[in-house]
Amino acid sequence: MTGGPGGDPLAAPLTVGRHRLRNRMVMTPHLGRLPPRRLRRYVAERADGGVAMIVLPAGQGVYANPVYPLYACPGDPDGYADPDAVSFHVRDPRHRRVLLAAAHEHLVGLADAAHGGGALAVGQIHHPGAERGWDNFQPALAPSQVRGDDTGAVPHALTAAEIDDLVTGYLATATAIVAAGFDGVELHAGHGYLLNRFLSPHYNRRTDRYGGSPAGRLRLIRRILRVARAELGDRSLLGVRLTAGEEVPAGIDAAGAAGIAAGIADLVDYVNLSLGNHDGLRDGRPATAYTGSWLVPPAPAAQTARQVRAVVDVPVLVSGRITDPTIARNLVADGAADLVGLARALIADPTFPRRAVSGDDAGIVRCVACNECVRVPFSCPANPAAGREAEFDPRPAAPPAGPAPVRHRRARRRIAVVGAGPAGVEVAVGAAAAGAEVTLIEAADAVGGALRHLVGTPLLADWAPLLHRLEQRLAPLLDRPSPAGGRVVLRTGTTATADHPDLIGADLVVLATGGRPGPVGFPVDRPVLTTMDLMAGRRPPPGTPVLVVGGAERHLEPLLAADLLAGEGWPVQVCTECVDIGPDLDQRTRPAVLRRLYGRAVGFAPMSRVHRWSGGAVEVEQLFTGHRSILDAGAVVLAHGRTANDGLRAALPADLECQVVGDALAPRRLTHAVLEGARCGSALSAADRR
Ligand SMILES: Cc1cc2nc3c(=O)[nH]c(=O)nc-3n(C[C@H](O)[C@H](O)[C@H](O)COP(=O)(O)O)c2cc1C
Ligand code: SF4
């Protein structure tokens, strides 16, 4: 293939329909639930970052109700933004006049944000179908009554008349999206949602003209595409997001996906392929989540994309954990796809496309697929500014009206930051960027804090780019002053005490000293190990059965300890006081982690509290029944969370200003520490600008 500047296939422009994409990178839909103002700013930054086309979740649902009778749809002008509103019926004239009008301004803002940075804007219409949650008090919808994989909802099987109304709803939404200035529309027919189910021989069990055969299953989507094309003309892009496979017996496989793509290619300008569904469970069995965690290989839809590309003559887009520009480049160069889709890669670094086409791969901040961003609200540990672009904008806010304040020249602030983990480094970088003289004091020999230990474990080794990012952010400020004249002096291997000259001489001390293992909490007759001990290289006696005590810890710690020991051959049981295992892991990551642990024969005892460990036996209470039993354990590992390591605060002179951030304030997940450190650094910058 012909490459772009310098022969880079990612940089090559591509004509799609009547439009020209400036390169091969497309932002696939995400973060539709950000508040509108933040979403606009988020989109604008991604467009500025060089992505060629931005597909946005612009039609959340079809905005209208095709199922209840017309008189039973009370209608709500905010229906597009209100998740449990029963919106107008599609045949109610107020649907177009009121509801779509209410959404118009929001959509115009999004299209403008994309266009402002030179990207095309495409609005995705997405109906969750059987995966609509229970909590919006409306029925889930599907071609047939097959339970939702994620919600477990038994859906209503749409009647032929309701399907007619559904088509009207899709058309009205498509028209509204284009009327707001979008360059086109994408139908979401993947990820197990409504249109995906109509295409699937597993989920579509109909015997009428909308099922029963490949042509029958294609009938609905072809009908929607035909009316949309007739209404929108050739000028608007029309694309479809398809599943690359369903991973259930008799579901869509790669050949099936190719057949579906071939069956709609005459009506679309591009096909977008993605593998997986919401939670990574299909029919109760482990499968792929479309937002795959770090445990899932990159680009799982690539082989299917290649098969699809062989049978269609429109561009094929492939997406799914493409976070490395080399992988992206190879997918295009090898002919697996014409376009690559990026979602989380652009959360982590909006400049990914610009850097990739200019050959600055090393400068790209990598997404590690930790899936913090699938939570609502979210924060990304690789880019705390994601979704908070205005909050972290280094440009000064517009000055208040009135005469300019008299500015006094003042000495540079001296800031001592204790602890060079994720929070401490963020504070130091932010403060130095604002012109402060920062001393960053770290007891260990290198920066990273707990993160350095975490990425040394087998479970989290793939999170290493987060550590590299910290090092990269700090490095320039160690060598030379920031543009504002600030710099960082790093003192590793130094234990900060209250009388340390760097602390005594500082205008502000920031404690980012992290957490420490919580107290044991039950009688023991020999020393226990902690997760921290394991990460530092200590191990139980070889071959001895190990009990990992998770206590009420809801996130990764007990699972990480169990994974490490089971992977090295210890028989491991995890005892947790939670009802579920790892309940605070996001729902797309949890099945992948549990699959790995069950594969290593780790045993679990939920709702169980340890009362004592003596003579190699652990007394455990089952919290539902109160029944106590004895487990064999030659070693006990405490993985039940941390307490704040903030002892230095009380020892500091009372008149020394001190701020505590991250786990030293309250132990939480990594992403909390990064965001809090970044916020503290940014607040110091703002204070120095005032
Ligand atoms: C928070 C979030 C929301 C998403 N919402 C949508 C959506 O509305 N429609 C859609 O087709 N895909 C959605 N996706 C999936 C992404 O478009 C993409 O397919 C997926 O994240 C895998 O690609 P990535 O590894 O580049 O992130 C969402 C992803 C995330 C992280
Ligand atoms: S939160 Fe995690 S998965 Fe999401 S973009 Fe950031 S690094 Fe990637």
Side-chain angles (χ1 to χ4, degrees), residues 2 19 60 63 96 174 178 201 303 315 331 344 385 432 438 465 537 546 645:
T2 315
H19 293 264
Q60 299 282 17
Y63 293 161
R96 272 171 193 261
V178 170
Q303 276 314 321
L331 286 166
R344 290 169 296 172
V438 180
V546 180
N645 183 24

Side-chain angles (χ1 to χ4, degrees), residues 116-199:
L120 294 174
V122 168
Q124 185 190 63
I125 309 180
H126 161 222
H127 194 302
E131 306 301 352
R132 171 182 260 169
W134 296 99
D135 292 342
N136 69 2
F137 304 103
Q138 292 174 66
L141 308 179
S144 311
Q145 286 202 9
V146 180
R147 266 188 197 278
D149 283 309
D150 306 326
T151 58
V154 178
H156 163 69
L158 287 159
T159 65
E162 289 162 354
I163 290 174
D164 291 345
D165 283 339
L166 190 75
V167 174
T168 309
Y170 269 96
L171 180 60
T173 308
T175 312
I177 288 171
V178 170
F182 277 78
D183 302 294
V185 170
E186 178 180 282
L187 300 185
H188 197 345
H191 298 169
Y193 299 128
L194 184 62
L195 294 179
N196 183 165
R197 282 203 166 206
F198 269 90
L199 295 169

Side-chain angles (χ1 to χ4, degrees), residues 330-486:
N330 289 343
L331 286 166
V332 177
D334 296 351
D338 303 282
L339 296 162
V340 290
L342 309 172
R344 290 169 296 172
L346 293 175
I347 297 177
D349 190 345
T351 66
F352 182 118
R354 190 184 336 121
R355 289 185 190 277
V357 298
S358 66
D360 179 21
D361 286 10
I364 293 173
V365 175
R366 297 293 167 84
C367 158
V368 298
C370 67
N371 274 348
E372 284 290 347
C373 54
V374 304
R375 298 167 187 262
V376 181
F378 86 102
S379 169
C380 169
N383 178 13
R388 297 181 170 83
E389 281 73 16
E391 180 184 340
F392 286 101
D393 190 340
R395 288 166 294 189
V406 180
R407 285 196 169 275
H408 299 287
R409 200 176 143 69
R410 64 180 191 189
R412 283 190 193 292
R413 284 231 280 176
R414 284 160 306 164
I415 298 179
V417 180
V418 185
V425 169
E426 290 291 344
V427 175
V429 169
E437 292 281 356
V438 180
T439 310
L440 179 58
I441 302 168
E442 168 59 45
D445 292 336
V447 302
L451 177 60
R452 181 169 288 280
H453 295 289
L454 290 172
V455 303
T457 65
L459 188 63
L460 297 184
D462 283 0
W463 290 20
L466 295 177
L467 180 62
H468 299 154
R469 169 186 169 272
L470 281 191
E471 292 165 341
Q472 274 180 345
R473 278 171 69 65
L474 194 56
L477 292 161
L478 299 176
D479 293 341
R480 56 182 181 278
S482 69

